[in-house]
Amino acid sequence: MKKLNIQHLTSILAMAFFLSACDRMAVEDSKVSLKLPKTVSGKAGAQSVSALKHIAVQVTAADMAEPVTLILDSHDSQTLPSEVSLEIPSGNNRLIQVLAAYGTGSNDDNAIIYYGDVTKTLIGGTDSAEVPLDNLSGTQPEEEGRVYGRYLTGANQGPSGELKMVYRPAGKPGIVVDRRHILGGWFEATVFKNVPVDYVLPDGSFLGNQWTLESLPVSKHLMRIRMPAHSERKWENNTNYWQDRGVDNRFLGFFAAQPSLLDDKKVCSFSKTTKNNGDIYFGNKYLSHSVLNVVPIKAFFTGTTPQTSANFASIIGGLDISACSSLPLTEEFNRYLILDNSNYGNELWDSFENMSGLRGGLAAVREKSQDGLTVYRSTSKQGANINGPYFDISLLPGVKDSITSYQIYKSTQSNYAPMGYDNRCEPDELRKQGWALLRTNALPPSAGDSIRFTAGNIGFTPEQYASYIVCLSKNNTPFGAQVSFSAWNFSASPATGMNLHLGSSQYNQSSQPVVNECRRVDISLTTTTGNILNANGVTATLSTGGPAVLHADAACSTTGVSGLNVTMPAGTQFASVYTKSPITQSYTISVDSNTGGLTPPSPLSISVGDAPTAVSQIEMAMNSSNWYSGTPTEMKLFKNGCFPMMVRLTNSSQSVQTSGTVDFSWYKLDGTTAYTLPSGTRLVNNCTSRSPISQLSYSNSAIAEFAIEVGTEMPANATLKAEGFGYNAQITINSSPLVHHLAIRLPAGSTLNPAVGACQALEFVARNASDQDVTVPAGQLLKFSPTTIVQVGSSGAQVEFYDSSSCSYNSNNYSIAGGESSRTIYMKAKSPQMAEVSYYSEHTERTHGYNWDVIDKLSINPVVMPLLVPVPDPIVLVGNSVTLYIQGGVPPYTVQKVSGAASHYYSEYGSSINVTAEGVGAIQLSVTDSMGSVQLINLTGQ
């Protein structure tokens, strides 16, 4: 086994770590120094050299009442000192134990772990120790896992206090290598593949005994998610880049001192798309440096034989999401935990913490959207009652009993607060993000598992344009997730009126309903400023004219009535009713009265028409979630997957129920050249039976479903066209590289020092890896978007791009046709600032995945020319117009009429002025640029 020596060090660090039972150094103590290598050789994650990430030192002896301990962690971004000092009571047989972990320091969990110990006699004064370290991880980095869950000691009860992570070397005392909080039983822990560890509770009993990745027993109440080694796309310094990551594991579940406490507990997860059994993939996690090689997800729930692979992520243990879907939302975190992807299609971009709702002591509870179609997670909720405005933070069950305070931080860097769970309340992270501690407050009394913050209990008045966050704290140390707030959260006024609004339909239609369509009607409270104060609750009486009726449920399945009472309880602002008419008619829904004495809204006019019978458009889209947006421009389809689709027949955005067929065909990107599908890709009826199809049939219906099955080779640069009823819809499938890169040239007449506002040509040329000109493959289109790399201190784009030499139509979307090698476009500098012109494209290797090509760029340094408006002919006949063009100066320009009988129109596109003479005599206009230069235009109307 490879050994690593901690070297002698006789100099003492200025900062000494003294962690012992004594509160001051005794005279017989020895000052002992250790020096660790800052880096080690050996592949950890994707790196060949690993940096020091974690240090744990423990000193024990028979005559020492308490051990001397030191624990330091890099938190992935800091640099740990390689030299550490401890004050140790002098005496014989001092056992010095050291555990050191080395990793990439780039947020990669995998590490190489070393352990060693030495027994030494200390006689006082300055000393040093040499501790040989053994590599516990072997030749490969130590695969790690994070455990998230709750340890139960009784019904809905768990311990609180310090949770110790202990490594127990053979024949030696256990060494405490990490300390964490456990709150009401909720904890986060780390386990390793080859290094077993214990987790010791505050009372000395074990939460985990010799835990490893493989020893944790997955079951219906414990789930494991294993991610293979993969790559991610990162954004830094105006460019994307690949970051390679090692194997990653997550555990989610319940643990208990007594097995019977787990009888009613379960953990559930998605395994397919929310609708139609489609395959699921992780977003921004790739098996190679290609945005088309994303990591697929396979589920092996309790009772099935699990598999792990370098080619897919595995969900092991737990239950399918259907086992939890019927349980009340209010019982989540008590009876069950769930990984919820209900608002997503086939790609999951959300983090593990966001999907599980566990946010470091906070609970992101699930709530139904107003239309009832989707469920979303939220940690905080805004409201107002008789006592004024407030916002609530939801806590995990039992956490409130173990914390006593919270901290408020104010942003020192900007008026915008960072968002998301990645912004944890860790002291170093808070400082790095520019948060300054404002105050620490005692936890206010609140009902249930939540904390209510009001203007009266936060202890200060927030500044109007400042940003703040709340962090839970224990012993004055912040933890958990950041929750942002501002002065707006504490601004409210009583409701003064009401509003009625016709809700959208299932497909986001805002049009009027058709016969027998059940549509939502929203009733809301209104106020003049701030949040709405609904102190006592409001009940409104609504009525409608027959035969249209009102319903209380979203399916309009209850008995329809002409009058209905709707209540908005105290602290709420919205409510919904539903309406349906069996005939074509125009009618109104009115608020006849309300218990709040509020100004009623104007009656809501609804015009019910017959459902359209003629198709005027067909729409094609993914059919894997409740989100719908018509025919998208492009879709990603990944290998070995099945992707639910639908084709909808419409007229003016409304569904058309009719009979007929829709045929499918595949083309290259030009839309006319036939495309041959790779083996294994085909159209099927659905993702369950997967019978091959070539067309869709409609029988008095508006929607037909199908699916695209993909094999081991993906289709790329293809267009799927659905055609029928005289119309078609088409989607681009898997844009991928057609050439290596694009070079940017200046044609004759163009310069690196263009005049601001001048229109000049640019040429984008297709090149291979040897930087030679190549043609785009026949039948394809190489699409690209020119862009300006924004410079520090500048705002917005510095160059605009156009499709013609007139620079009259601004666009950022261009293409090079098959068989061609270049495309000429035009540019106009907007300011005299230096700029770098580049591009992005999914059709070039260097920028595949929307990566800025920072190598192929063109640096320009615009110059300012004198402001000028040439006037070819000053005579303008009355009733006629003349178009003039602004040259030079620095836009934007302001155009004003000074005198004369004329009207004018200025267009910023092309910087043109259209002047119409409306009478005889002199006409004068002025043009002013952003630098204050003025040019007068003199014309004559006759």
Side-chain angles (χ1 to χ4, degrees):
M1 181 177 293
K2 183 177 180 180
K3 286 185 178 289
L4 186 72
N5 286 332
I6 292 183
Q7 303 168 16
H8 288 285
L9 179 71
T10 56
S11 62
I12 304 300
L13 293 178
M15 178 176 66
F17 297 93
F18 180 25
L19 298 176
S20 71
C22 301
D23 60 0
R24 62 184 179 88
M25 186 178 68
V27 294
E28 69 273 14
D29 284 355
S30 297
K31 300 176 182 179
V32 179
S33 297
L34 305 173
K35 183 176 181 180
L36 287 75
K38 298 186 70 171
T39 61
V40 297
S41 299
K43 190 175 179 62
Q47 307 296 321
S48 58
V49 176
S50 297
L52 187 60
K53 290 179 62 175
H54 189 90
I55 306 168
V57 182
Q58 178 174 283
V59 183
T60 56
D63 59 348
M64 290 175 56
E66 296 289 340
V68 175
T69 60
L70 168 68
I71 298 174
L72 298 175
D73 192 270
S74 68
H75 299 288
D76 294 323
S77 59
Q78 301 175 35
T79 301
L80 289 183
S82 59
E83 303 179 25
V84 296
S85 299
L86 298 93
E87 304 289 347
I88 303 172
S90 299
N92 297 324
N93 300 319
R94 270 45 186 157
L95 176 65
I96 303 174
Q97 298 172 278
V98 178
L99 184 139
Y102 292 81
T104 63
S106 59
N107 203 29
D108 193 321
D109 289 336
N110 294 342
I112 301 174
I113 298 176
Y114 289 86
Y115 169 81
D117 58 62
V118 67
T119 300
K120 189 173 180 65
T121 295
L122 304 176
I123 60 174
T126 299
D127 205 342
S128 60
E130 181 178 335
V131 183
L133 298 181
D134 290 325
N135 182 343
L136 303 180
S137 302
T139 58
Q140 296 296 320
E142 189 62 49
E143 185 178 332
E144 297 183 17
R146 301 291 177 89
V147 185
Y148 302 78
R150 191 181 193 192
Y151 179 78
L152 297 167
T153 55
N156 201 29
Q157 295 180 346
S160 296
E162 184 180 73
L163 182 64
K164 296 178 182 178
M165 177 184 182
V166 179
Y167 170 65
R168 300 188 186 278
K172 300 293 173 65
I175 173 175
V176 178
V177 296
D178 200 9
R179 292 185 175 98
R180 300 169 181 255
H181 288 301
I182 183 169
L183 303 172
W186 295 98
F187 69 95
E188 294 183 20
T190 301
V191 293
F192 308 100
K193 183 175 183 179
N194 300 309
V195 182
V197 292
D198 294 342
Y199 277 93
V200 182
L201 293 164
D203 65 358
S205 61
F206 289 95
L207 184 158
N209 185 8
Q210 294 293 281
W211 271 0
T212 65
L213 280 176
E214 306 304 331
S215 70
L216 286 171
V218 293
S219 63
K220 71 179 183 66
H221 46 74
L222 180 62
M223 178 183 293
R224 175 184 178 184
I225 300 92
R226 181 187 183 276
M227 175 75 65
H230 60 282
S231 299
E232 294 180 353
R233 297 291 273 176
K234 297 292 184 179
W235 173 262
E236 186 177 350
N237 297 328
N238 293 328
T239 185
N240 283 327
Y241 64 93
W242 291 106
Q243 183 180 76
D244 296 325
R245 301 290 305 272
V247 178
D248 184 34
N249 290 271
R250 295 289 189 269
F251 291 84
L252 177 66
F254 293 97
F255 303 80
Q258 302 175 10
S260 60
L261 295 174
L262 301 175
D263 288 345
D264 66 337
K265 302 297 187 289
K266 60 182 69 174
V267 183
C268 298
S269 173
F270 54 83
S271 60
K272 296 288 184 178
T273 57
T274 303
K275 294 174 61 179
N276 300 326
N277 209 41
D279 289 304
I280 295 179
Y281 297 75
F282 276 110
N284 201 37
K285 298 181 187 298
Y286 308 92
L287 295 172
S288 65
H289 291 185
S290 168
V291 295
L292 294 180
N293 199 12
V294 295
V295 179
I297 304 171
K298 295 187 178 183
F300 305 94
F301 294 123
T302 302
T304 62
T305 302
Q307 299 177 23
T308 61
S309 171
N311 298 315
F312 57 80
S314 302
I315 298 175
I316 303 172
L319 301 170
D320 184 78
I321 200 167
S322 59
C324 292
S325 58
S326 62
L327 299 177
L329 296 179
T330 55
E331 293 190 9
E332 187 181 7
F333 308 115
N334 283 303
R335 286 181 55 193
Y336 67 97
L337 301 172
I338 190 170
L339 289 180
D340 187 5
N341 72 318
S342 60
N343 292 349
Y344 300 89
N346 67 306
E347 286 188 85
L348 300 180
W349 291 86
D350 220 343
S351 68
F352 176 86
E353 290 82 4
N354 284 339
M355 285 191 291
S356 68
L358 301 180
R359 300 184 184 176
L362 303 182
V365 298
R366 293 184 302 150
E367 299 178 352
K368 284 190 176 182
S369 60
Q370 191 172 354
D371 59 12
L373 293 176
T374 59
V375 174
Y376 64 94
R377 289 194 180 276
S378 176
T379 302
S380 61
K381 181 183 294 186
Q382 180 70 39
N385 57 23
I386 194 171
N387 298 315
Y390 62 84
F391 72 95
D392 292 339
I393 292 179
S394 300
L395 303 181
L396 293 168
V399 166
K400 185 190 290 187
D401 296 334
S402 59
I403 58 175
T404 58
S405 63
Y406 68 94
Q407 294 180 336
I408 296 177
Y409 292 79
K410 180 182 178 182
S411 175
T412 61
Q413 295 184 347
S414 69
N415 293 330
Y416 299 97
M419 301 294 289
Y421 183 76
D422 288 341
N423 296 297
R424 298 195 184 197
C425 291
E426 295 177 350
D428 293 327
E429 190 69 19
L430 292 170
R431 283 191 294 269
K432 185 172 66 175
Q433 294 177 0
W435 293 109
L437 178 62
L438 194 64
R439 60 190 302 118
T440 299
N441 293 339
L443 209 64
S446 304
D449 293 313
S450 65
I451 305 173
R452 174 158 294 181
F453 299 96
T454 68
N457 68 23
I458 63 172
F460 76 108
T461 301
E463 298 174 18
Q464 184 175 3
Y465 298 108
S467 292
Y468 303 89
I469 58 170
V470 167
C471 291
L472 302 178
S473 62
K474 189 175 181 65
N475 300 326
N476 290 322
T477 301
F479 68 92
Q482 303 171 10
V483 178
S484 61
F485 73 95
S486 66
W488 179 88
N489 294 86
F490 300 108
S491 171
S493 56
T496 57
M498 309 182 80
N499 188 31
L500 284 174
H501 175 73
L502 181 64
S504 61
S505 74
Q506 180 181 358
Y507 297 104
N508 300 319
Q509 296 167 216
S510 58
S511 57
Q512 295 290 311
V514 298
V515 172
N516 288 322
E517 180 186 357
C518 184
R519 287 287 285 273
R520 189 182 81 250
V521 175
D522 300 323
I523 180 170
S524 60
L525 304 180
T526 62
T527 190
T528 53
T529 59
N531 293 291
I532 296 171
L533 183 61
N534 177 13
N536 302 309
V538 177
T539 297
T541 300
L542 278 66
S543 65
T544 184
V549 291
L550 299 173
H551 296 264
D553 69 305
C556 291
S557 59
T558 57
T559 301
V561 294
S562 59
L564 189 65
N565 290 332
V566 181
T567 298
M568 285 167 280
T572 64
Q573 306 171 18
F574 305 96
S576 296
V577 296
Y578 300 85
T579 185
K580 184 170 68 172
S581 173
I583 62 171
T584 59
Q585 65 164 345
S586 295
Y587 67 100
T588 60
I589 296 177
S590 303
V591 175
D592 298 332
S593 63
N594 67 84
T595 58
L598 308 178
T599 302
S602 300
L604 176 65
S605 297
I606 298 177
S607 179
V608 180
D610 286 321
T613 57
V615 176
S616 64
Q617 184 180 7
I618 68 175
E619 299 176 349
M620 180 166 49
M622 187 80 78
N623 192 30
S624 56
S625 73
N626 287 313
W627 294 97
Y628 180 81
S629 59
T631 300
T633 303
E634 182 179 346
M635 285 175 46
K636 301 293 186 186
L637 304 180
F638 309 115
K639 59 184 177 182
N640 299 317
C642 186
F643 305 89
M645 303 287 295
M646 62 179 288
V647 175
R648 176 172 169 252
L649 312 179
T650 68
N651 186 315
S652 300
S653 297
Q654 294 186 351
S655 298
V656 178
Q657 294 185 343
T658 187
S659 299
T661 58
V662 165
D663 294 304
F664 291 107
S665 53
W666 290 88
Y667 297 95
K668 294 185 178 181
L669 296 180
D670 65 0
T672 57
T673 304
Y675 176 82
T676 301
L677 289 172
S679 176
T681 297
R682 59 179 185 167
L683 302 181
V684 295
N685 61 335
N686 56 55
C687 288
T688 303
S689 57
R690 303 195 183 195
S691 299
I693 63 168
S694 59
Q695 67 174 202
L696 296 176
S697 296
Y698 295 79
S699 178
N700 194 29
S701 58
I703 294 174
E705 298 179 343
F706 70 104
I708 305 175
E709 183 182 50
V710 179
T712 56
E713 183 181 352
M714 292 177 290
N717 297 318
T719 298
L720 173 62
K721 180 182 287 188
E723 194 167 10
F725 301 93
Y727 299 90
N728 71 78
Q730 55 187 24
I731 299 174
T732 297
I733 305 296
N734 290 354
S735 290
S736 62
L738 294 167
V739 301
H740 184 263
H741 67 281
L742 298 180
I744 308 174
R745 292 174 178 165
L746 288 176
S750 295
T751 174
L752 293 175
N753 304 106
V756 172
C759 187
Q760 75 167 22
L762 285 177
E763 188 179 25
F764 286 79
V765 185
R767 292 285 187 91
N768 60 20
S770 300
D771 210 31
Q772 298 172 326
D773 291 6
V774 294
T775 58
V776 174
Q780 299 293 5
L781 285 177
L782 189 157
K783 299 178 182 179
F784 67 96
S785 295
T787 185
T788 306
I789 299 178
V790 178
Q791 304 298 301
V792 176
S794 65
S795 59
Q798 298 156 310
V799 174
E800 287 183 337
F801 301 96
Y802 300 84
D803 64 350
S804 69
S805 59
S806 67
C807 282
S808 57
Y809 178 73
N810 174 236
S811 174
N812 285 325
N813 299 307
Y814 300 93
S815 62
I816 302 175
E820 302 290 334
S821 61
S822 65
R823 170 70 185 269
T824 299
I825 67 171
Y826 297 84
M827 58 159 279
K828 183 191 294 184
K830 298 173 62 179
S831 74
Q833 292 175 298
M834 292 186 64
E836 291 180 332
V837 176
S838 185
Y839 72 96
Y840 60 83
S841 172
E842 288 200 325
H843 291 141
T844 60
E845 290 184 27
R846 276 248 285 272
T847 62
H848 191 211
Y850 299 107
N851 182 25
W852 302 103
D853 193 333
V854 295
I855 299 175
D856 287 314
K857 62 186 179 183
L858 192 69
S859 296
I860 62 170
N861 188 11
V863 296
V864 179
M865 301 298 289
L867 180 63
L868 178 67
V869 182
V871 180
D873 185 353
I875 305 300
V876 184
L877 298 179
V878 174
N880 287 357
S881 300
V882 62
T883 300
L884 307 174
Y885 295 92
I886 303 173
Q887 300 176 6
V890 179
Y893 306 104
T894 301
V895 180
Q896 293 180 319
K897 186 181 75 171
V898 178
S899 61
S903 61
H904 71 278
Y905 173 76
Y906 167 65
S907 173
E908 62 177 312
Y909 297 111
S911 300
S912 63
I913 310 170
N914 183 272
V915 184
T916 302
E918 297 178 343
V920 176
I923 300 169
Q924 189 176 69
L925 291 88
S926 68
V927 177
T928 306
D929 74 355
S930 62
M931 304 298 290
S933 298
V934 178
Q935 172 75 22
L936 296 177
I937 304 172
N938 293 297
L939 304 171
T940 301
Q942 70 176 34

